Amino acid sequence: GAGVSQSPSNKVTEKGKDVELRCDPISGHTALYWYRQSLGQGLEFLIYFQGNSAPDKSGLPSDRFSAERTGGSVSTLTIQRTQQEDSAVYLCASSRGTGGRRTDTQYFGPGTRLTVL
Amino acid sequence: AQSVTQPDIHITVSEGASLELRCNYSYGATPYLFWYVQSPGQGLQLLLKYFSGDTLVQGIKGFEAEFKRSQSSFNLRKPSVHWSDAAEYFCAVGAGTASKLTFGTGTRLQVTL
């Protein structure tokens, strides 16, 4: 595709419900990242995928958060038993992931705004 | 671990004036540095990046940034600001292959006419 797409653009849910957020990376990009943007915490890294594997999950804030990637393409971030502090914008990014020693350029999607009531 | 500091939370400039947004990083090895811009309700758009070589890098929309290793800085500049530049600007550092980005807290730019 032309860019990274995310769905839904907005999600309002009740505390305790589960939510799924979807990310479609740029075609051919093997690396995929999830970040969270909130007022109090700024932009935080959550998880990184290379292909379907997640070598870095260090930013996931609790075991309520999980993510998967299938077919080396689409990724889903799942938040179980949502809490009000989960309210934030969840951003997805992708990069070529072609290796080498330098950091790939990451291209971001428009984000999903999650509101937990 | 790497970190980024953007000391200015909010900056206001007049249209046509010059702009400099400050960014200081902390990282023990060669940093990979980025500036992104975020308009309200939008994702992050890459303005420019520094990997190596020439320390003055040019980006889109007339922006440039200068890498100064001795000062651990990567300040963003624009000689003449346009009203459409009003947005939030984020500096970020990466630590190597396909690694996560560590972002600063952002600087919100307001442009007065």
Side-chain angles (χ1 to χ4, degrees), chain B residues 37-51:
Chain B
V37 61
Q38 186 177 38
S39 298
Q42 303 296 313
L44 297 169
Q45 181 182 21
L46 179 70
L47 284 175
L48 47 78
K49 60 190 177 188
Y50 171 78
F51 287 165

mmCIF file with all atom_site columns, all heavy atoms in Angstrom, chain B residues 37-51:
data_model
loop_
_atom_site.group_PDB
_atom_site.id
_atom_site.type_symbol
_atom_site.label_atom_id
_atom_site.label_alt_id
_atom_site.label_comp_id
_atom_site.label_asym_id
_atom_site.label_entity_id
_atom_site.label_seq_id
_atom_site.pdbx_PDB_ins_code
_atom_site.Cartn_x
_atom_site.Cartn_y
_atom_site.Cartn_z
_atom_site.occupancy
_atom_site.B_iso_or_equiv
_atom_site.pdbx_formal_charge
_atom_site.auth_seq_id
_atom_site.auth_comp_id
_atom_site.auth_asym_id
_atom_site.auth_atom_id
_atom_site.pdbx_PDB_model_num
ATOM 1   N N   . VAL B 1 37 ? 7.302  15.323 12.467 1.00 0.00 ? 37 VAL B N   1
ATOM 2   C CA  . VAL B 1 37 ? 6.309  16.346 12.748 1.00 0.00 ? 37 VAL B CA  1
ATOM 3   C C   . VAL B 1 37 ? 4.938  15.679 12.826 1.00 0.00 ? 37 VAL B C   1
ATOM 4   O O   . VAL B 1 37 ? 4.647  14.726 12.094 1.00 0.00 ? 37 VAL B O   1
ATOM 5   C CB  . VAL B 1 37 ? 6.318  17.456 11.674 1.00 0.00 ? 37 VAL B CB  1
ATOM 6   C CG1 . VAL B 1 37 ? 5.989  16.912 10.289 1.00 0.00 ? 37 VAL B CG1 1
ATOM 7   C CG2 . VAL B 1 37 ? 5.354  18.571 12.034 1.00 0.00 ? 37 VAL B CG2 1
ATOM 8   N N   . GLN B 1 38 ? 4.128  16.183 13.746 1.00 0.00 ? 38 GLN B N   1
ATOM 9   C CA  . GLN B 1 38 ? 2.778  15.639 13.920 1.00 0.00 ? 38 GLN B CA  1
ATOM 10  C C   . GLN B 1 38 ? 1.772  16.783 13.939 1.00 0.00 ? 38 GLN B C   1
ATOM 11  O O   . GLN B 1 38 ? 1.797  17.618 14.838 1.00 0.00 ? 38 GLN B O   1
ATOM 12  C CB  . GLN B 1 38 ? 2.688  14.836 15.222 1.00 0.00 ? 38 GLN B CB  1
ATOM 13  C CG  . GLN B 1 38 ? 1.366  14.130 15.410 1.00 0.00 ? 38 GLN B CG  1
ATOM 14  C CD  . GLN B 1 38 ? 1.333  13.291 16.677 1.00 0.00 ? 38 GLN B CD  1
ATOM 15  O OE1 . GLN B 1 38 ? 1.880  13.686 17.705 1.00 0.00 ? 38 GLN B OE1 1
ATOM 16  N NE2 . GLN B 1 38 ? 0.707  12.119 16.620 1.00 0.00 ? 38 GLN B NE2 1
ATOM 17  N N   . SER B 1 39 ? 0.903  16.800 12.957 1.00 0.00 ? 39 SER B N   1
ATOM 18  C CA  . SER B 1 39 ? -0.195 17.767 12.937 1.00 0.00 ? 39 SER B CA  1
ATOM 19  C C   . SER B 1 39 ? -1.351 17.183 13.741 1.00 0.00 ? 39 SER B C   1
ATOM 20  O O   . SER B 1 39 ? -1.444 15.964 13.907 1.00 0.00 ? 39 SER B O   1
ATOM 21  C CB  . SER B 1 39 ? -0.614 18.060 11.502 1.00 0.00 ? 39 SER B CB  1
ATOM 22  O OG  . SER B 1 39 ? 0.459  18.633 10.791 1.00 0.00 ? 39 SER B OG  1
ATOM 23  N N   . PRO B 1 40 ? -2.238 18.046 14.234 1.00 0.00 ? 40 PRO B N   1
ATOM 24  C CA  . PRO B 1 40 ? -3.337 17.566 15.094 1.00 0.00 ? 40 PRO B CA  1
ATOM 25  C C   . PRO B 1 40 ? -4.118 16.421 14.439 1.00 0.00 ? 40 PRO B C   1
ATOM 26  O O   . PRO B 1 40 ? -4.550 16.524 13.289 1.00 0.00 ? 40 PRO B O   1
ATOM 27  C CB  . PRO B 1 40 ? -4.202 18.812 15.264 1.00 0.00 ? 40 PRO B CB  1
ATOM 28  C CG  . PRO B 1 40 ? -3.244 19.944 15.129 1.00 0.00 ? 40 PRO B CG  1
ATOM 29  C CD  . PRO B 1 40 ? -2.248 19.502 14.091 1.00 0.00 ? 40 PRO B CD  1
ATOM 30  N N   . GLY B 1 41 ? -4.284 15.343 15.180 1.00 0.00 ? 41 GLY B N   1
ATOM 31  C CA  . GLY B 1 41 ? -5.050 14.203 14.694 1.00 0.00 ? 41 GLY B CA  1
ATOM 32  C C   . GLY B 1 41 ? -4.358 13.368 13.644 1.00 0.00 ? 41 GLY B C   1
ATOM 33  O O   . GLY B 1 41 ? -4.969 12.459 13.073 1.00 0.00 ? 41 GLY B O   1
ATOM 34  N N   . GLN B 1 42 ? -3.086 13.641 13.415 1.00 0.00 ? 42 GLN B N   1
ATOM 35  C CA  . GLN B 1 42 ? -2.357 12.915 12.373 1.00 0.00 ? 42 GLN B CA  1
ATOM 36  C C   . GLN B 1 42 ? -1.260 12.058 12.989 1.00 0.00 ? 42 GLN B C   1
ATOM 37  O O   . GLN B 1 42 ? -0.902 12.211 14.156 1.00 0.00 ? 42 GLN B O   1
ATOM 38  C CB  . GLN B 1 42 ? -1.721 13.908 11.392 1.00 0.00 ? 42 GLN B CB  1
ATOM 39  C CG  . GLN B 1 42 ? -2.703 14.860 10.748 1.00 0.00 ? 42 GLN B CG  1
ATOM 40  C CD  . GLN B 1 42 ? -3.700 14.145 9.877  1.00 0.00 ? 42 GLN B CD  1
ATOM 41  O OE1 . GLN B 1 42 ? -3.348 13.291 9.072  1.00 0.00 ? 42 GLN B OE1 1
ATOM 42  N NE2 . GLN B 1 42 ? -4.975 14.460 10.041 1.00 0.00 ? 42 GLN B NE2 1
ATOM 43  N N   . GLY B 1 43 ? -0.726 11.159 12.168 1.00 0.00 ? 43 GLY B N   1
ATOM 44  C CA  . GLY B 1 43 ? 0.426  10.379 12.597 1.00 0.00 ? 43 GLY B CA  1
ATOM 45  C C   . GLY B 1 43 ? 1.693  11.207 12.466 1.00 0.00 ? 43 GLY B C   1
ATOM 46  O O   . GLY B 1 43 ? 1.656  12.417 12.252 1.00 0.00 ? 43 GLY B O   1
ATOM 47  N N   . LEU B 1 44 ? 2.807  10.555 12.598 1.00 0.00 ? 44 LEU B N   1
ATOM 48  C CA  . LEU B 1 44 ? 4.101  11.218 12.537 1.00 0.00 ? 44 LEU B CA  1
ATOM 49  C C   . LEU B 1 44 ? 4.638  11.196 11.108 1.00 0.00 ? 44 LEU B C   1
ATOM 50  O O   . LEU B 1 44 ? 4.667  10.151 10.469 1.00 0.00 ? 44 LEU B O   1
ATOM 51  C CB  . LEU B 1 44 ? 5.092  10.507 13.459 1.00 0.00 ? 44 LEU B CB  1
ATOM 52  C CG  . LEU B 1 44 ? 4.747  10.527 14.938 1.00 0.00 ? 44 LEU B CG  1
ATOM 53  C CD1 . LEU B 1 44 ? 5.643  9.574  15.704 1.00 0.00 ? 44 LEU B CD1 1
ATOM 54  C CD2 . LEU B 1 44 ? 4.894  11.928 15.487 1.00 0.00 ? 44 LEU B CD2 1
ATOM 55  N N   . GLN B 1 45 ? 5.093  12.345 10.656 1.00 0.00 ? 45 GLN B N   1
ATOM 56  C CA  . GLN B 1 45 ? 5.687  12.447 9.323  1.00 0.00 ? 45 GLN B CA  1
ATOM 57  C C   . GLN B 1 45 ? 7.169  12.725 9.482  1.00 0.00 ? 45 GLN B C   1
ATOM 58  O O   . GLN B 1 45 ? 7.572  13.633 10.227 1.00 0.00 ? 45 GLN B O   1
ATOM 59  C CB  . GLN B 1 45 ? 5.023  13.559 8.510  1.00 0.00 ? 45 GLN B CB  1
ATOM 60  C CG  . GLN B 1 45 ? 5.587  13.703 7.104  1.00 0.00 ? 45 GLN B CG  1
ATOM 61  C CD  . GLN B 1 45 ? 4.964  14.837 6.329  1.00 0.00 ? 45 GLN B CD  1
ATOM 62  O OE1 . GLN B 1 45 ? 4.403  15.773 6.890  1.00 0.00 ? 45 GLN B OE1 1
ATOM 63  N NE2 . GLN B 1 45 ? 5.051  14.759 5.010  1.00 0.00 ? 45 GLN B NE2 1
ATOM 64  N N   . LEU B 1 46 ? 7.994  11.981 8.774  1.00 0.00 ? 46 LEU B N   1
ATOM 65  C CA  . LEU B 1 46 ? 9.436  12.168 8.843  1.00 0.00 ? 46 LEU B CA  1
ATOM 66  C C   . LEU B 1 46 ? 9.839  13.450 8.146  1.00 0.00 ? 46 LEU B C   1
ATOM 67  O O   . LEU B 1 46 ? 9.484  13.681 6.985  1.00 0.00 ? 46 LEU B O   1
ATOM 68  C CB  . LEU B 1 46 ? 10.150 10.988 8.193  1.00 0.00 ? 46 LEU B CB  1
ATOM 69  C CG  . LEU B 1 46 ? 11.669 11.060 8.166  1.00 0.00 ? 46 LEU B CG  1
ATOM 70  C CD1 . LEU B 1 46 ? 12.230 10.901 9.575  1.00 0.00 ? 46 LEU B CD1 1
ATOM 71  C CD2 . LEU B 1 46 ? 12.248 10.003 7.236  1.00 0.00 ? 46 LEU B CD2 1
ATOM 72  N N   . LEU B 1 47 ? 10.582 14.296 8.867  1.00 0.00 ? 47 LEU B N   1
ATOM 73  C CA  . LEU B 1 47 ? 11.113 15.518 8.271  1.00 0.00 ? 47 LEU B CA  1
ATOM 74  C C   . LEU B 1 47 ? 12.512 15.293 7.711  1.00 0.00 ? 47 LEU B C   1
ATOM 75  O O   . LEU B 1 47 ? 12.832 15.732 6.607  1.00 0.00 ? 47 LEU B O   1
ATOM 76  C CB  . LEU B 1 47 ? 11.185 16.637 9.310  1.00 0.00 ? 47 LEU B CB  1
ATOM 77  C CG  . LEU B 1 47 ? 9.888  17.326 9.705  1.00 0.00 ? 47 LEU B CG  1
ATOM 78  C CD1 . LEU B 1 47 ? 10.171 18.319 10.825 1.00 0.00 ? 47 LEU B CD1 1
ATOM 79  C CD2 . LEU B 1 47 ? 9.250  18.016 8.523  1.00 0.00 ? 47 LEU B CD2 1
ATOM 80  N N   . LEU B 1 48 ? 13.357 14.667 8.513  1.00 0.00 ? 48 LEU B N   1
ATOM 81  C CA  . LEU B 1 48 ? 14.727 14.405 8.082  1.00 0.00 ? 48 LEU B CA  1
ATOM 82  C C   . LEU B 1 48 ? 15.373 13.421 9.035  1.00 0.00 ? 48 LEU B C   1
ATOM 83  O O   . LEU B 1 48 ? 14.831 13.123 10.096 1.00 0.00 ? 48 LEU B O   1
ATOM 84  C CB  . LEU B 1 48 ? 15.545 15.708 8.025  1.00 0.00 ? 48 LEU B CB  1
ATOM 85  C CG  . LEU B 1 48 ? 15.468 16.669 9.197  1.00 0.00 ? 48 LEU B CG  1
ATOM 86  C CD1 . LEU B 1 48 ? 16.305 16.203 10.359 1.00 0.00 ? 48 LEU B CD1 1
ATOM 87  C CD2 . LEU B 1 48 ? 15.894 18.065 8.785  1.00 0.00 ? 48 LEU B CD2 1
ATOM 88  N N   . LYS B 1 49 ? 16.551 12.943 8.616  1.00 0.00 ? 49 LYS B N   1
ATOM 89  C CA  . LYS B 1 49 ? 17.263 11.953 9.425  1.00 0.00 ? 49 LYS B CA  1
ATOM 90  C C   . LYS B 1 49 ? 18.754 12.136 9.258  1.00 0.00 ? 49 LYS B C   1
ATOM 91  O O   . LYS B 1 49 ? 19.226 12.635 8.233  1.00 0.00 ? 49 LYS B O   1
ATOM 92  C CB  . LYS B 1 49 ? 16.858 10.536 8.996  1.00 0.00 ? 49 LYS B CB  1
ATOM 93  C CG  . LYS B 1 49 ? 17.172 10.243 7.540  1.00 0.00 ? 49 LYS B CG  1
ATOM 94  C CD  . LYS B 1 49 ? 16.555 8.933  7.091  1.00 0.00 ? 49 LYS B CD  1
ATOM 95  C CE  . LYS B 1 49 ? 16.826 8.684  5.613  1.00 0.00 ? 49 LYS B CE  1
ATOM 96  N NZ  . LYS B 1 49 ? 16.103 7.519  5.088  1.00 0.00 ? 49 LYS B NZ  1
ATOM 97  N N   . TYR B 1 50 ? 19.494 11.720 10.276 1.00 0.00 ? 50 TYR B N   1
ATOM 98  C CA  . TYR B 1 50 ? 20.941 11.723 10.212 1.00 0.00 ? 50 TYR B CA  1
ATOM 99  C C   . TYR B 1 50 ? 21.440 10.324 10.551 1.00 0.00 ? 50 TYR B C   1
ATOM 100 O O   . TYR B 1 50 ? 21.127 9.784  11.618 1.00 0.00 ? 50 TYR B O   1
ATOM 101 C CB  . TYR B 1 50 ? 21.544 12.734 11.191 1.00 0.00 ? 50 TYR B CB  1
ATOM 102 C CG  . TYR B 1 50 ? 23.040 12.606 11.290 1.00 0.00 ? 50 TYR B CG  1
ATOM 103 C CD1 . TYR B 1 50 ? 23.862 13.127 10.301 1.00 0.00 ? 50 TYR B CD1 1
ATOM 104 C CD2 . TYR B 1 50 ? 23.628 11.920 12.344 1.00 0.00 ? 50 TYR B CD2 1
ATOM 105 C CE1 . TYR B 1 50 ? 25.231 12.979 10.373 1.00 0.00 ? 50 TYR B CE1 1
ATOM 106 C CE2 . TYR B 1 50 ? 24.999 11.771 12.421 1.00 0.00 ? 50 TYR B CE2 1
ATOM 107 C CZ  . TYR B 1 50 ? 25.798 12.303 11.428 1.00 0.00 ? 50 TYR B CZ  1
ATOM 108 O OH  . TYR B 1 50 ? 27.153 12.141 11.500 1.00 0.00 ? 50 TYR B OH  1
ATOM 109 N N   . PHE B 1 51 ? 22.262 9.797  9.643  1.00 0.00 ? 51 PHE B N   1
ATOM 110 C CA  . PHE B 1 51 ? 22.883 8.503  9.904  1.00 0.00 ? 51 PHE B CA  1
ATOM 111 C C   . PHE B 1 51 ? 24.395 8.645  10.029 1.00 0.00 ? 51 PHE B C   1
ATOM 112 O O   . PHE B 1 51 ? 25.012 8.097  10.940 1.00 0.00 ? 51 PHE B O   1
ATOM 113 C CB  . PHE B 1 51 ? 22.550 7.506  8.787  1.00 0.00 ? 51 PHE B CB  1
ATOM 114 C CG  . PHE B 1 51 ? 21.132 7.016  8.800  1.00 0.00 ? 51 PHE B CG  1
ATOM 115 C CD1 . PHE B 1 51 ? 20.593 6.370  7.696  1.00 0.00 ? 51 PHE B CD1 1
ATOM 116 C CD2 . PHE B 1 51 ? 20.314 7.171  9.908  1.00 0.00 ? 51 PHE B CD2 1
ATOM 117 C CE1 . PHE B 1 51 ? 19.288 5.907  7.698  1.00 0.00 ? 51 PHE B CE1 1
ATOM 118 C CE2 . PHE B 1 51 ? 19.009 6.722  9.931  1.00 0.00 ? 51 PHE B CE2 1
ATOM 119 C CZ  . PHE B 1 51 ? 18.492 6.080  8.819  1.00 0.00 ? 51 PHE B CZ  1
#
